[in-house]
Amino acid sequence: MNAAQPRSLTIVGAGLAGALLAILLARDGWRVDVYEKRGDPRVRGYAGGRSINLALAERGRHALERAGAEAAVMRQAVMMRGRMVHFADGRTELQRYGRDDSEVIWSVHRGDLNLTLIGLAEAAGARLHFDRRLDAVDFEAGSARFVDERDGTCAQIGFAALVGADGAGSAVRSAMQRATDLGERVEPLGHGYRELEIPPAADGGFRIEPNALHIWPRGGYMCIALPNDERTFTVTLFMPNHGDPGFDSVRTPEQARALFARDFTDALPLIPDLEADWAANPAGTLATLYLERWHLDRRAVLIGDAAHAMVPFHGQGMNCAFEDCVELAQRLRGEAPLEDVFAGFQAARQPNALAIQQMALENYREMRDRVDDSDYLLQRALELELQQRHPGRFVPRYAMVSFMRIPYALALERSRRQHAILERATYGLDSLDRVDRGALDAEIRAQLAPLEQG
């Protein structure tokens, strides 16, 4: 550590990324202060607002292990082996994510995870300040003003450097944008979401298969359901903002029930409080945030959703943010000045953030449009066969993203080459009987080098 480099950082946001980074830095000897606009959830209960259930994958588990949090989190996680597709005709089919139960993802409750990380951050020595909303930043003076909205009082806090871990609507990013052009661009998806709930069965168990992510694909819209350890499922309806159906045409609880009766017939009996849930949970919006710059020289840096918010359809937003935390904490262990640390962090993470943002958008189209499509199912069957024939060389995109820690950008590039191979091999076929395995094997060996485990 350069003697001139301060060992003090101020994190804005005590959500998942902010709390995890606080643990990592405090354990490395940094003086860490975390400011959060919400109240302490350990006192008031979790008040995170609307949130889609979180899918914890290998990248996130690795970060939690580095922070000493994995065991506590995994005690509350529910395994998901794959997508349980609910077809329009009432059939269901489990499409596994991986080859066996060693390749699964885990459903975790955002609130429980946040509580665990906050407790560990405080235990590691980080100082947490709740009910403190960032109101203004003077980067020249190294001073930030926080407002306690309970009584309107203000506090002026000096800082060596700010870390914006305060989500897609980041106040730190807004302050940085006033100081310099970050090249911010927001692309709305044009679709939104609304959350409902499947309660436990009368005997206290799950009403449907618990070890799966349930999906009702219906073309331009869909429903999903993720299990919780309370034996409930969080149901999320994704739909265009405008259209039929759309959130402008399905507005009332009665209209929502009619939609489910028409298009999600087998889901409707599972949601006894549909009308009440619809009335209580407003629609959320979905968008992708792109920035050209993630840092303001040595004075501030953005991580997680504050730097690269994405749509949730690859279940990687949290996992990507946790990778950010590990990368930044690792770089802060060196001798480089903060400006170089922040620049290096952006250079390492930005291409991978762009890649997973793209894959998340593509996965939405796959989930709502393709998982019940015959061409997709044929290509998926061949993909699994090739994975067995060429282990470590032909690896499905989902496996590269969820079960490995290779760079997202590499996973995107390889998966596009693999998809082209699958399309060529299955073009005009309705079964795999006529696939030329010999030619296909030669093509794979020529195009795909063995993949190093990340």
Side-chain angles (χ1 to χ4, degrees):
M1 177 68 64
N2 187 314
Q5 178 173 313
R7 294 185 58 84
S8 170
L9 286 175
T10 299
I11 300 172
V12 179
L16 302 180
L20 179 70
L21 182 62
I23 299 169
L24 296 172
L25 295 181
R27 288 186 166 194
D28 282 346
W30 285 78
R31 172 178 169 145
V32 181
D33 284 276
V34 185
Y35 289 85
E36 169 58 51
K37 67 180 179 181
R38 296 170 298 173
D40 188 340
R42 297 167 298 180
V43 176
R44 299 185 182 177
Y46 184 74
R50 302 185 298 272
S51 68
I52 298 163
N53 258 47
L54 301 170
L56 179 63
E58 177 60 28
R59 298 167 195 272
R61 290 189 66 176
H62 171 74
L64 291 172
E65 189 274 330
R66 293 280 293 268
E70 187 191 24
V73 172
M74 294 306 294
R75 282 195 293 269
Q76 304 169 54
V78 180
M79 180 177 69
M80 297 188 293
R81 293 187 172 95
R83 298 168 176 162
M84 183 68 76
V85 180
H86 295 250
F87 295 88
D89 62 8
R91 292 180 297 119
T92 60
E93 176 186 294
L94 179 66
Q95 298 176 0
R96 271 192 174 270
Y97 289 133
R99 291 168 291 187
D100 52 41
D101 280 358
S102 69
E103 294 183 337
V104 298
I105 61 174
W106 301 85
S107 178
V108 295
H109 185 277
R110 179 187 293 270
D112 292 341
L113 176 55
N114 204 178
L115 288 168
T116 298
L117 295 179
I118 285 172
L120 288 172
E122 196 164 69
R127 302 191 303 179
L128 287 90
H129 312 270
F130 294 98
D131 295 297
R132 299 291 188 273
R133 174 179 59 82
L134 180 63
D135 184 59
V137 182
D138 184 337
F139 286 108
E140 295 299 321
S143 177
R145 183 171 70 240
F146 292 89
V147 175
D148 185 338
E149 292 190 338
R150 294 171 299 178
D151 57 17
T153 56
C154 296
Q156 203 75 25
I157 306 297
F159 63 85
L162 282 184
V163 179
D166 49 344
S170 171
V172 175
R173 187 179 71 246
S174 295
M176 292 168 64
Q177 182 73 23
R178 285 190 286 272
T180 190
D181 183 10
L182 301 179
E184 179 176 328
R185 188 174 88 257
V186 177
E187 292 188 0
L189 182 63
H191 290 228
Y193 68 93
R194 206 163 196 138
E195 288 192 347
L196 309 167
E197 184 178 85
I198 297 174
D203 64 0
F206 287 101
R207 287 178 180 251
I208 51 178
E209 167 59 47
N211 298 124
L213 184 155
H214 293 259
I215 176 170
W216 290 259
R218 297 298 182 261
Y221 54 105
M222 68 175 185
C223 242
I224 65 171
L226 275 71
N228 300 305
D229 64 343
E230 299 93 344
R231 307 301 189 266
T232 63
F233 285 82
T234 300
V235 179
T236 310
L237 171 66
F238 296 97
M239 210 163 48
N241 295 329
H242 307 286
D244 182 19
F247 282 110
D248 61 343
S249 60
V250 182
R251 296 189 301 272
T252 69
E254 294 73 25
Q255 290 168 333
R257 173 170 285 276
L259 172 67
F260 273 77
R262 186 188 75 187
D263 294 341
F264 306 107
T265 308
D266 61 330
L268 182 58
L270 304 172
I271 313 172
D273 297 324
L274 186 149
E275 286 91 344
D277 289 348
W278 189 272
N281 300 330
T285 59
L286 298 167
T288 304
L289 167 71
Y290 302 100
L291 294 180
E292 294 176 9
R293 295 187 60 187
W294 291 9
H295 71 103
L296 178 62
D297 47 64
R298 63 174 302 284
R299 293 172 288 179
V301 66
L302 301 169
I303 65 170
D305 282 356
H308 49 70
M310 66 192 73
V311 296
F313 303 110
H314 221 307
Q316 286 292 307
M318 170 186 67
N319 295 283
C320 182
F322 282 1
E323 277 196 331
D324 286 353
C325 295
V326 171
E327 177 77 23
L328 183 57
Q330 181 67 35
R331 288 177 176 273
L332 285 166
R333 290 176 178 164
E335 299 292 328
L338 281 183
E339 182 170 2
D340 293 345
V341 168
F342 293 164
F345 165 73
Q346 176 182 323
R349 294 298 298 159
Q350 192 172 44
N352 294 301
L354 288 167
I356 189 57
Q357 286 175 318
Q358 179 62 35
M359 288 189 282
L361 289 165
E362 292 175 4
N363 211 43
Y364 183 36
R365 291 189 285 272
E366 178 177 301
M367 291 172 73
R368 77 186 193 211
D369 297 342
R370 301 203 65 216
V371 292
D372 58 352
D373 176 79
S374 58
D375 289 342
Y376 169 83
L377 295 173
L378 187 66
Q379 291 174 19
R380 174 64 173 157
L382 181 58
E383 180 179 56
L384 295 175
E385 178 187 320
L386 295 177
Q387 183 182 18
Q388 295 294 328
R389 292 170 69 90
H390 301 277
R393 191 185 293 263
F394 196 101
V395 183
R397 172 189 283 189
Y398 198 90
M400 289 188 284
V401 168
S402 298
F403 310 136
M404 304 178 76
R405 291 188 289 111
I406 65 171
Y408 287 121
L410 176 59
L412 176 60
E413 187 271 329
R414 285 184 69 103
S415 67
R416 285 178 169 166
R417 275 191 279 157
Q418 292 176 174
H419 182 67
I421 292 171
L422 292 172
E423 283 193 319
R424 286 194 297 271
T426 58
Y427 180 77
L429 303 182
D430 56 10
S431 79
L432 300 181
D433 295 341
R434 291 169 29 220
V435 171
D436 185 339
R437 263 72 173 187
L440 192 54
D441 289 345
E443 183 179 10
I444 290 169
R445 283 192 291 268
Q447 288 204 32
L448 300 170
L451 189 61
E452 296 292 329
Q453 171 71 37

